[in-house]
Amino acid sequence: MEIKNAYLSGVYEDLKDRNGNEKEFLQAVGEVLESLEPVIEANPAYEKAGIIERIVEPERVIMFRVPWVDDSGKVRVNTGYRVQFNSAIGPYKGGLRLHPSVNLSVMKFLGFEQIFKNSLTGLPMGGGKGGSNFDPKGKSDGEVMRFCQSFMTELYRHIGADTDVPAGDIGVGAREIGFLFGQYKRITNEFTGVLTGKNVLSGGSLARTEATGYGLCYYTEEALNARGDSFKGKKVVISGSGNVATYACQKATQLGATVIAMSDSSGYIYDPNGIDYKNIQIIKEQKRARINTYLDLVPTATFTPGCAGIWNVPCDIALPCATQNELDLAGAKALIANGAIAVCEGANMPSTPEAIEAIQAAGLLFAPAKAANAGGVATSGLEMSQNSLRLSWSFDEVDQRLHGIMKNIYKSCADAAETVGKPGNLAAGANVAGFLKVAGAMLWQGVAY
Ligand code: NDP
């Protein structure tokens, strides 16, 4: 990464001095600032108004203690976070992550990325993110409920349907959103659309569960079409086996591809006959089991321990859908050597900067997370609209809107990449297109934040 513009590199160096230990956050900011050089140079108003200094600083960071009692009666304590990064174009919006790796750097990188992602959807949503270092794995339903209730007992003060609307992310699915929603309602005595990803029985949107994975495939298909190609007949490797991965598997298969490998943090499965997403649903959503139990359902498949090895499986299209920095230079080189044509990001920042550079240099299609995985938050935006209207749309209606949004996001990225003289560079296009709308709103509002 090289930031040549003096204003941008000055802001970045200052940020590094003040946040030197936040490596994920600095990685996310560096990648965005590098691609903003042409727009900063074309419009001096951004520098004059301090837009970059402001956009890299969260409007508010809330950190709090989350005490809860485990099944043996012992008191446990975790750290809770909500980073309210930018509200220039709408209420803060972004998921809650429950994973032992959560820290302030991870929260800030995710919140920062969310600003541009939400802007790309075309919907009025600002950027935010939250979560805790609590690990739901191996916990009973009762323990997860007590944790979620304690977490919400502090978080409720800071959120609201017009203020900040959290959703799910790693470790936060339908079960956790239910516990969080129930506690919010109990404390405030209000039934509002304060969370998205709700059960359809309580104001959730049909197709929200599928939205991130479906959206990733819609975006990828659009980008492949622009290159005269498609999913049809392709071999696909998907890392992860959670929410995003499962429904990416379903949609890629519907679009004519064969998904031959998937993973979790323990290793990956390989099934040359094609992985049926319903088997992943059984393992992950019903049994909450490990991915190697796929072999109980499909004995002809194989399991290899170690999740990073999945990139050595020869494929046409790689969809990293697990976590940040899971695809490094070695993984990218393996994909390139095996003749892959595309890497499209379902997880947030799954590729390291070195991996992205290698993928782009080799001429593969590279679809950046903040555009390619925006279908989840876009559908959360549709859930907010339905809640405000007190209406629910059919699965097909939501899916069609999602499809239209993903096509528009692809077009915005491709057009912006052309405008800044980097045709085909969707990563640069996503950053520029996402930035322009937020920066325009910040200029218009004066020095409000
Ligand atoms: P889930 O918790 O449903 O699934 C996460 C998957 O990734 C699991 O298979 C998990 O394996 C694996 N994983 C998580 N952490 C690691 C790790 N450190 N190393 C290896 N594997 C890991 O999460 P989601 O599917 O919701 O989220 C996946 C990614 O997509 C995240 O980056 C998230 O931010 C992003 N995203 C999610 C959206 C959504 O709507 N859910 C929207 C946009 C982006 P294991 O079970 O073994 O931990």
Side-chain angles (χ1 to χ4, degrees):
M1 186 195 54
E2 198 192 352
I3 304 173
K4 295 194 201 89
N5 176 279
Y7 167 50
L8 290 171
S9 68
V11 174
Y12 189 64
E13 288 307 315
D14 177 55
L15 196 71
K16 256 172 50 187
D17 286 346
R18 290 183 293 111
N19 306 270
N21 59 339
E22 296 179 0
K23 65 179 175 37
E24 292 87 359
F25 175 53
L26 292 170
Q27 180 183 336
V29 173
E31 194 262 336
V32 170
L33 296 197
E34 191 183 15
S35 50
L36 293 184
E37 284 180 343
V39 286
I40 294 299
E41 278 162 17
N43 189 348
Y46 296 136
E47 181 171 351
K48 186 154 181 274
I51 292 293
I52 300 299
E53 294 90 320
R54 287 154 63 191
I55 215 165
V56 299
E57 196 66 39
E59 287 173 13
R60 195 173 297 106
V61 175
I62 300 140
M63 267 177 79
F64 50 100
R65 180 198 300 161
V66 190
W68 55 281
V69 181
D70 73 15
D71 286 346
S72 72
K74 187 174 169 1
V75 176
R76 307 275 202 106
V77 181
N78 289 98
T79 311
Y81 302 86
R82 187 69 184 166
V83 176
Q84 298 182 328
F85 223 117
N86 194 299
S87 61
I89 63 168
Y92 309 107
K93 181 90 196 87
L96 297 172
R97 175 176 292 191
L98 297 183
H99 193 273
S101 63
V102 163
N103 57 35
L104 189 57
S105 173
V106 169
M107 293 287 97
K108 283 171 71 179
F109 117 65
L110 289 165
F112 182 74
E113 290 282 289
Q114 199 80 41
I115 303 170
F116 306 96
K117 181 189 311 202
N118 293 2
S119 166
L120 284 169
T121 66
L123 300 172
M125 299 181 289
K129 201 81 189 186
S132 172
N133 59 350
F134 173 81
D135 187 358
K137 242 185 260 143
K139 304 286 190 306
S140 69
D141 285 353
E143 289 176 322
V144 172
M145 182 176 75
R146 291 193 291 281
F147 170 83
C148 288
Q149 290 177 340
S150 179
F151 184 83
M152 184 53 87
T153 301
E154 173 60 34
L155 186 69
Y156 90 96
R157 302 173 213 283
H158 311 287
I159 62 175
D162 294 319
T163 308
D164 183 353
V165 183
D169 190 77
I170 290 179
V172 177
R175 174 182 62 169
E176 291 75 17
I177 294 289
F179 295 149
L180 292 163
F181 183 75
Q183 183 72 354
Y184 181 86
K185 187 164 62 66
R186 182 180 184 193
I187 297 174
T188 60
N189 198 26
E190 276 181 10
F191 193 116
T192 65
V194 67
L195 290 160
T196 57
K198 299 185 292 298
N199 188 299
V200 285
L201 299 172
S202 295
S205 175
L206 289 164
R208 174 60 187 91
T209 305
E210 294 82 356
T212 310
Y214 278 22
L216 167 65
C217 293
Y218 292 146
Y219 187 95
T220 302
E221 183 76 345
E222 204 62 19
L224 287 169
N225 287 171
R227 293 180 159 216
D229 214 330
S230 74
F231 265 111
K232 212 168 174 50
K234 299 294 188 301
K235 287 191 169 56
V236 176
V237 163
I238 302 178
S239 63
S241 47
N243 173 266
V244 180
T246 303
Y247 297 98
C249 173
Q250 183 191 13
K251 186 52 74 179
T253 308
Q254 281 175 3
L255 291 170
T258 306
V259 177
I260 55 171
M262 290 180 76
S263 62
D264 65 14
S265 58
S266 66
Y268 67 90
I269 50 160
Y270 172 66
D271 181 353
N273 297 320
I275 297 170
D276 183 343
Y277 82 99
K278 290 199 188 106
N279 285 332
I280 304 296
Q281 276 182 322
I282 292 169
I283 296 166
K284 292 292 172 182
E285 291 176 19
Q286 289 175 26
K287 298 188 176 164
R288 297 188 185 273
R290 307 309 294 156
I291 197 80
N292 61 353
T293 59
Y294 183 83
L295 273 55
D296 299 339
L297 302 171
V298 184
T300 51
T302 56
F303 171 75
T304 308
C307 50
I310 194 168
W311 309 120
N312 296 321
V313 176
C315 66
D316 303 302
I317 298 170
L319 303 177
C321 294
T323 194
Q324 63 271 6
N325 292 326
E326 53 162 318
L327 172 54
D328 62 7
L329 183 59
K333 282 185 174 167
L335 288 167
I336 295 163
N338 286 328
I341 60 163
V343 175
C344 301
E345 298 185 322
N348 281 312
M349 204 170 75
S351 318
T352 64
E354 300 76 30
I356 297 173
E357 212 179 304
I359 291 161
Q360 289 177 325
L364 277 72
L365 163 65
F366 177 73
K370 62 173 74 69
N373 75 18
V377 73
T379 307
S380 279
L382 300 179
E383 183 173 333
M384 289 165 75
S385 303
Q386 292 169 79
N387 291 165
S388 298
L389 293 166
R390 306 226 188 286
L391 282 176
S392 6
W393 298 328
S394 68
F395 188 100
D396 284 347
E397 191 168 353
V398 178
D399 189 29
Q400 273 170 27
R401 285 177 196 256
L402 167 66
H403 200 166
I405 290 170
M406 297 314 296
K407 283 182 166 201
N408 286 341
I409 295 177
Y410 171 73
K411 190 170 181 319
S412 305
C413 296
D415 289 352
E418 291 266 353
T419 310
V420 295
K422 294 181 180 169
N425 187 335
L426 298 174
N431 290 337
V432 169
F435 170 79
L436 288 176
K437 187 173 156 193
V438 177
M442 289 173 74
L443 282 178
W444 176 68
Q445 290 171 24
V447 189
Y449 265 119

